[in-house]
Amino acid sequence: MKIGLVLGAGGVAGVAFHAGVLAALAERTGFDARDAELVMGTSAGSVTASGLRAGLAPADMLARACDEPMSPEGTALMAPVAATTRGTVAPGRFPAGFPAAPAVLLAAARRPGRVRPGAVVAGLLPAGVVPTDPIAAGVDALFGDRWPERPTWICAVRLETGRLTVFGRDGAPHARMGEAVAASCAIPGYFTPVTIGGVRYVDGGVHSLTNLAKVRSLGLDLVVVSAPMARTGPRRPGLGSVGREFSRLQLAAEARRIRSAGTPVIAFSPTHEDQAVIGSNPMDPSRQAAVARQVYASTLRRLERPDIRARFGVHA
């Protein structure tokens, strides 16, 4: 079965969310995300994508998110990364100043309706001041100058034009994996934009929080989406409900496009209980372990449904 895996944006909590979802999927269905036909990541999802394509097992991702011992294989794989990433992304502030890329307004005027509002906002915010070097260094410790052999797409947005670039896809600009992941994670107004080939890039989430529509018509048998910034269940006040409702609607619209091409989609988004643990600040590292454990448990409960397990060929 050819399964595409789409990993969405979500900050530090997003990485923990992905770990919980993928570990539960591996345990309950046997789907090892490392074997996905395609892995596409946006922002936090790009970090998880890099770990999978480097060979990190979902169970080790969960252990790492919970600050628990990994397997000997996982420990050996991540040893070069530990010194470059853990605790090295310094907290910063949203700076004041001139827009980072006012030319995005002209780009939006030239292409009405085709430059996403988030991309316009990204260009009008001041450039962030927190470097993404630790992110790039951690990924480079795994890949160096090579790109993963199996299809791996990393989403970022050109700051000046607001256009989405999917690194790793045919025809995309050349980039190291570390550069692409750093660009995909460069939250506008917070992280410094990442320059690749003379072009400045920011977080791919300003175009779409999952960029799910990009996997349409690839001949996949199933697309699995992990969407940390959306929600499952009825809308409730608080817990960032407006932003999560927007993300839910965006995800639903993109999923319809995939399904219209004949490909089933299964999406995992935070339950109300998950959202309560995530809280209002997805960049808070102190919640990472609690988020990963909660999401792992809630995903296991969802996978008790026979219809969902059957999508993965599990009928018992």
Side-chain angles (χ1 to χ4, degrees):
M1 179 184 290
K2 295 192 295 185
I3 299 178
L5 177 63
V6 175
L7 302 164
V12 174
V15 174
F17 184 90
H18 296 318
V21 168
L22 298 180
L25 280 170
E27 179 175 326
R28 191 56 57 90
T29 72
F31 169 58
D32 187 331
R34 294 175 293 182
D35 298 329
E37 182 73 15
L38 167 71
V39 177
M40 182 174 76
T42 297
S43 198
S46 72
V47 175
T48 301
S50 69
L52 290 171
R53 285 314 201 206
L56 188 63
D60 281 329
M61 287 188 169
L62 179 62
R64 190 166 189 260
C66 295
D67 202 23
E68 296 174 352
M70 293 185 288
S71 69
E73 295 79 10
T75 300
L77 177 67
M78 299 305 290
V81 179
T84 65
T85 59
R86 299 290 276 199
T88 56
V89 177
R93 59 182 178 82
F94 286 91
F98 296 104
V104 73
L105 287 174
L106 181 59
R110 288 174 173 169
R111 303 167 63 239
R114 298 185 64 187
V115 177
R116 300 285 177 91
V120 175
V121 172
L124 297 180
L125 286 172
V129 297
V130 178
T132 57
D133 296 351
I135 298 172
V139 177
D140 283 341
L142 295 172
F143 293 96
D145 291 333
R146 67 182 176 89
W147 195 266
E149 293 182 4
R150 302 198 66 181
T152 307
W153 293 0
I154 304 297
C155 300
V157 166
R158 291 187 174 218
L159 186 58
E160 271 74 19
T161 66
R163 300 189 69 172
L164 180 69
T165 294
V166 184
F167 291 103
R169 191 169 66 170
D170 289 346
H174 173 75
R176 299 192 326 274
M177 189 70 171
E179 290 177 323
V181 171
S184 186
C185 292
I187 300 170
Y190 185 81
F191 285 115
T192 303
V194 176
T195 301
I196 301 174
V199 177
R200 292 189 297 167
Y201 293 91
V202 292
D203 195 318
V206 305
H207 181 268
S208 164
L209 292 166
T210 64
N211 291 297
L212 171 60
K214 293 301 174 182
V215 304
R216 187 174 185 267
S217 304
L218 294 181
L220 298 167
D221 298 310
L222 176 67
V223 175
V224 176
V225 187
S226 179
M229 297 191 75
R231 63 168 177 78
T232 297
R235 180 179 174 183
R236 293 182 180 177
L239 298 175
S241 61
V242 175
R244 289 195 178 278
E245 177 67 5
F246 169 80
S247 180
R248 185 193 69 81
L249 293 172
Q250 185 184 69
L251 175 62
E254 295 191 30
R256 283 194 295 271
R257 294 186 62 186
I258 306 302
R259 294 183 178 117
S260 71
T263 303
V265 177
I266 296 178
F268 295 87
S269 301
T271 64
H272 293 306
E273 293 78 11
D274 298 340
Q275 293 171 51
V277 176
I278 291 170
S280 60
N281 179 12
M283 298 299 289
D284 182 0
S286 70
R287 291 177 175 258
Q288 188 171 20
V291 170
R293 292 189 184 101
Q294 166 61 34
V295 172
Y296 171 70
S298 66
T299 304
L300 284 177
R301 287 193 294 271
R302 183 178 177 191
L303 291 173
E304 292 175 358
R305 290 175 45 181
D307 59 322
I308 295 180
R309 293 201 308 274
R311 289 290 190 184
F312 296 90
V314 179
H315 300 282

